[in-house]
Amino acid sequence: MSDSNTTSSTNPSTFILLGIPGLEGAHVWISIPFCAMYAIAIMGSFTIMFVIKREPSLHEPMYYFLCMLALTDLVLCTSILPKILSIFWFNSREIDFSACLTQMYFIHCFVVMESGVFVAMALDRYVAICHPLRHSTILTSHAVAKIGLAVAVRGSLLVLPYLILARKWPYCRTNIIPHSYCEHIAVVKLACGDTRVSSYYGLFMIVCVRCLDVFFIAVSYTHILRAIFNLPTKDSRLKAFGTCSAHLSAIFVFYVPHLFSALTHRYGKNVPMHFHIFTANIYLLVPPMLNPIIYGVRTKQIQDRLLWLISQKRK
């Protein structure tokens, strides 16, 4: 299909992604930090998974959930960056209709999964600090596997209506998406007819899924902090809080940019488009880049094992 502004009243064969509208001249320069973030995310996530796999002492619920987080990060950033770079470097803007919807599904599915992993990690910290003697009996390997499966199934099923509705709508306005990837609302805005169902469901996903996840995390940490402050010594309180600091940092890095981007897309009419699109890219690339660094720096067991592996290779 040619690069035109109009399509038939049915599904178009391709969409045209514009990258970051208004910053086309800087696409090559923007690609440099994007590539750096992606490279760090890939190396960091694989390193975390490799270290945990090689070290039997790290075969615990906390580190299993960390492996799930690393795998989710890998899929999430890989879902968008190759196509973004093809736009920035080769001006390859076309994306097949089915490929666009597949990308949209993977992005939102793994964002929901990542949110679910953070809830699971909060549960692990709650049990470890508030019920330490029962931690090994509550969070067995079987229980962790079931939690991981529940997180994956929840993300897959909740995002499925995005795909079904987006495929259902006729597209007769334009096939040009003013974005660097197939974001749900950006695609729905191109559809004809009454698409309020998609908009309402997208709002439901923000309010009743991600905000609910934040609520569960907040409740967990309310009990965790209460338990920490009841510990008898300052050293024990600092040690207990230290086991949660990496998780809290990762939560902040994930949720704040995501909620900001989602809300400005719907209500930030005065926000420049290039700023919104740039932010939408950042919130999918920065957490996968920072999570391995956060856990690598703040988790002594991973640090020690990684240093040991490096020293062994030098011998």
Side-chain angles (χ1 to χ4, degrees), residues 43-86:
M43 290 188 293
S45 295
F46 273 118
T47 300
I48 290 288
M49 290 189 289
F50 175 76
V51 169
I52 292 172
K53 183 179 183 298
R54 287 289 301 270
E55 179 52 53
S57 67
L58 299 182
H59 293 176
E60 298 177 1
M62 173 183 172
Y63 301 104
Y64 290 143
F65 290 135
L66 184 52
C67 280
M68 293 180 202
L69 182 66
L71 183 60
T72 303
D73 283 338
L74 282 173
V75 177
L76 190 57
C77 57
T78 302
S79 297
I80 65 164
L81 199 70
K83 183 58 185 177
I84 290 174
L85 293 180
S86 73

Side-chain angles (χ1 to χ4, degrees), residues 1 11 13 35 89 147 184 191 194 200 213 215-216 255 263 270 274 286 289 304:
M1 182 175 179
N11 294 342
S13 59
C35 273
W89 291 348
I147 291 171
H184 172 245
D194 188 355
Y200 291 155
D213 286 352
F215 171 76
F216 285 135
Y255 283 107
L263 292 174
N270 296 324
H274 65 267
V286 169
M289 175 191 71
D304 292 345

Side-chain angles (χ1 to χ4, degrees), residues 25-26 38 51-52 54 114 134 139 143 149 186 248 268 280 285:
Y38 183 60
V51 169
I52 292 172
R54 287 289 301 270
E114 184 149 344
R134 299 174 57 199
L139 288 176
L149 180 62
L248 287 171
L285 290 174

Side-chain angles (χ1 to χ4, degrees), residues 189-218:
K189 283 181 177 179
L190 304 184
C192 305
D194 188 355
T195 59
R196 284 181 293 179
V197 175
S198 287
S199 297
Y200 291 155
Y201 190 74
L203 192 59
F204 162 79
M205 289 290 287
I206 293 174
V207 175
C208 296
V209 177
R210 280 154 223 172
C211 289
L212 198 60
D213 286 352
V214 172
F215 171 76
F216 285 135
I217 292 170

Side-chain angles (χ1 to χ4, degrees), residues 164-235:
I164 295 170
L165 290 170
R167 188 173 288 278
K168 170 188 171 184
W169 304 126
Y171 296 86
C172 59
R173 292 174 183 167
T174 180
N175 68 327
I176 296 177
I177 302 176
H179 212 298
S180 53
Y181 58 84
C182 292
E183 204 272 342
H184 172 245
I185 293 298
V187 173
V188 169
K189 283 181 177 179
L190 304 184
C192 305
D194 188 355
T195 59
R196 284 181 293 179
V197 175
S198 287
S199 297
Y200 291 155
Y201 190 74
L203 192 59
F204 162 79
M205 289 290 287
I206 293 174
V207 175
C208 296
V209 177
R210 280 154 223 172
C211 289
L212 198 60
D213 286 352
V214 172
F215 171 76
F216 285 135
I217 292 170
V219 170
S220 297
Y221 271 96
T222 299
H223 290 288
I224 288 169
L225 291 174
R226 186 180 299 167
I228 288 174
F229 289 133
N230 286 333
L231 291 174
T233 65
K234 182 179 178 181
D235 287 342

Side-chain angles (χ1 to χ4, degrees), residues 148-164:
L149 180 62
V151 167
V153 170
R154 184 188 78 143
S156 302
L157 293 181
L158 285 176
V159 178
L160 197 58
Y162 280 175
L163 188 65
I164 295 170

Side-chain angles (χ1 to χ4, degrees), residues 135-157:
H135 183 262
S136 60
T137 57
I138 294 174
L139 288 176
T140 61
S141 297
H142 186 60
V144 170
K146 289 197 291 186
I147 291 171
L149 180 62
V151 167
V153 170
R154 184 188 78 143
S156 302
L157 293 181

